[in-house]
Amino acid sequence: MAAGGGTLRVYLGAAPGVGKTYAMLAEGRRLRAGGLDVVVALAETYGRRGTEEQLGDLPVVPRRAVHYRGMALTEMDLDAVLARHPALALVDELAHTNAPGSRNTKRWQDVRELLRAGVDVATTLNIQHLESLSDVVEQITGIVQREQIPDAVVRAADRIELVDLSPEALRTRMAQGELYPSDRIDVALDNYFRAGNLGALRELALLWLADRVEEELADYRARHGIRAPWETKERILVALNGTRQGEHLVRRGARTAARVHGDLIGVHVRTDDGAIQHEPPGLAAQRALLRELHGSYVEIGGTDVARTLVDFARTESATQILLGPTGRSRLRELLTGSVINRVIRMAGPIDIRVLPPPSPEQTALPRAPRPRRPARVPARRWWTAWLLGPLGALAVAAALSPLRGSLGLSEILLCLLLLVAGVAGLGGLAPAAGTTLTSVLAADYFFTTPWHSLVVGQGADLAPLGVFLCVAGIISHLIDGLTRRSQEAARARAEAQALIRLAGETVRGEGRTLRRLLSELRRAFRLEAAGILAPTGAGWRPVASSGGPLPARPQDAPFAAELGQGTVLVLAGGPIDEENTRLLGPFVTQLRLAEEHERLTREAAAAQSLARTDALHTTLLEALAHDLRGPLAAIREAAARLDAAPEAETIAAETERLNHSVANLLDLSRLRAGRVPVALRPTSLGEVLHAAVASLPGTWAELALGPTTGLPPVEADPGLLERALANVLVNARAWSPPGAAVRVDTGTVADRVHLRVIDRGPGIAPEERERIFQPLRGRRTGPGGARETGTGFGLAVAKGFVEAMRGELSVEGTPGGGATFVFSLRRSDR
């Protein structure tokens, strides 16, 4: 849009009232002060005082009157602005629809003419008027947006600035009458300006602007020939081939993207080999799962799957590619190569993660039989069966061959059938099949005519051999099934025993639960070591372990799983694979619970110790304060008998000061023990303030009280509030220079009433403003920059009293020097 000459700057806002026009006019005034020719082509102030003040002395081009159906409408005078030809024209509300009869239907078309004439334009726009978002905005707010502008017009701008304001701040502006007349405020707050609506519109604006930033970044990389990914944002690319492992990949990718606040993209590469392509059966479900997990799906074509995938990853600036098990056969991989290996070689700086196929739930124990496949037996038994079966069949047939005069073919086949059954029980189905074939050949060779040949001379001998094959096959299959059931039962018993032991260790929590669980885990999985590592600044340290040695880092372990609080479970020295890991899930869960239990136990012990210490501290303080009260009363009486002695006034003042400190000490101990009774009721702030001043020793001629009449009542305990005010006033006078007044101001902010105690003493550094309320820790900067101790217990007691009344007490810097203590109390609704 700016290619014709002028440049376009757009001030984008999430909703009306965020300050777009204000920001545009402020920038215009700044540029005009720098000597640039700036005019206001059109600005809508809507009577808002701040916006009208920003308009100030900026030159304004008069509007053009348009008469339509008996009404006089005003629009921007495009011809007058073109004739004036300023360096910068300020045009409000870019999406506005001009009155019928105007040269252009839309104001953005007027702006385009200004740009073509070489005039720079600054304009404003709300996110709700963008054409691509109109349906989303309507769904959020329930309001149809009549005025819309194509996204391409805004995206072509040379500069887009987001004028941002939080929903709470915008609603506050609305409630204070800064945007709409008072009769429209409640309706607006309950409809369009609901907090949820404003939050959603704000997120839309941020996301739309982020997309534009990404487009600019992609253009920059393309112009400069940059192919390596820039990790400005994590993008997780999941390669999908429609197999059942795809959903596992999508879920793992979604978890990774959620942890790093990145994007999830699912990619399916369709091979362009000229053949008719049928969609893999699982792809539709994987697309649906991607949408459910807030990911996007892309389907691309290419003759080379690996190269197409890597090129797409570079185009999208992907930082990780997740690959699963290939669906290709071993023969095809041998002929055409491995896609996974080629992706790894071509990926360059992109991280490649190859995930194993999902296993049902994980553990070792006895190996589980494979479904629809022969039962597994130990390797030694399998090789023994292969050695003894065929050789045994030959040996039996050869040994009985001298008796073929008395033993017929059927009898020898029964003997061999017994051997087949034994081999099936020993080594499984495969050795039994080999023994069966060997037995048939041996029986034919030794017991059918012609002798010592594999030719069956008599047709009657074929029937026994055929029956033998069938019976041997059935017996071998049945024995294999029995072996499978036996293995399943043994595995189930072992798993049940492991879970029973696991449950027992969980119930028996005695502070060594973690170590016991790790020992049980190591024993169940036949591991060399199992332990928990916690991160430190320099690396990792073991928290608990069983066996050894442990891997130094989780990356060095064959199996690692996150537990909590940054700790990681690591296993070493055992067969941790897809078939032995079904029980790892429950173990990991119990380890997480045990770790959390130990952490809570430590915290509870620390809290109990702290509570005992605090109780002892409170008891000592109360005893000390009680013991001090008697001597103080005696000193006060003795000072009163000194009559007019010069020292009498000093003794009385210091005694009163010490008595005040003792009272604060007792109040502080009650606050810490939670034994301060609070009776909240509507309270007049003016009455409490005057009572607090009257309760203080000495005269307070230097106190400057602001107006206290007309203030709404606050929710407070009058006695506690009076004590808190008195302590803060004493602190303010103690730090104020001689003759300097302590000022007290009051006012209301929304549903709060503020009381500010202002002194002109040494200021409080920002880093000390929280510590000033801690007994004997708060500090001020004294004359000459020296550090001086704060005011003991008074401010700590004041803050405790105010917070007990559900209020807030904070401190700020006073302009010109000094400190301002701010009481913030809730306005009473009763």
Side-chain angles (χ1 to χ4, degrees), residues 54 65 107 156 174 198 290 298 318 322 385 516 543 554 748:
Q54 283 301 316
R107 186 167 291 165
M174 175 70 71
L198 297 177
L290 270 169
V298 179
L322 266 63
R516 285 177 174 168
V543 176
T748 59

Side-chain angles (χ1 to χ4, degrees), residues 242-260:
T243 59
R244 63 182 182 86
Q245 291 87 3
E247 294 189 8
H248 174 61
L249 285 178
V250 170
R251 289 191 173 91
R252 286 288 296 271
R255 289 196 295 270
T256 303
R259 281 195 296 266
V260 299

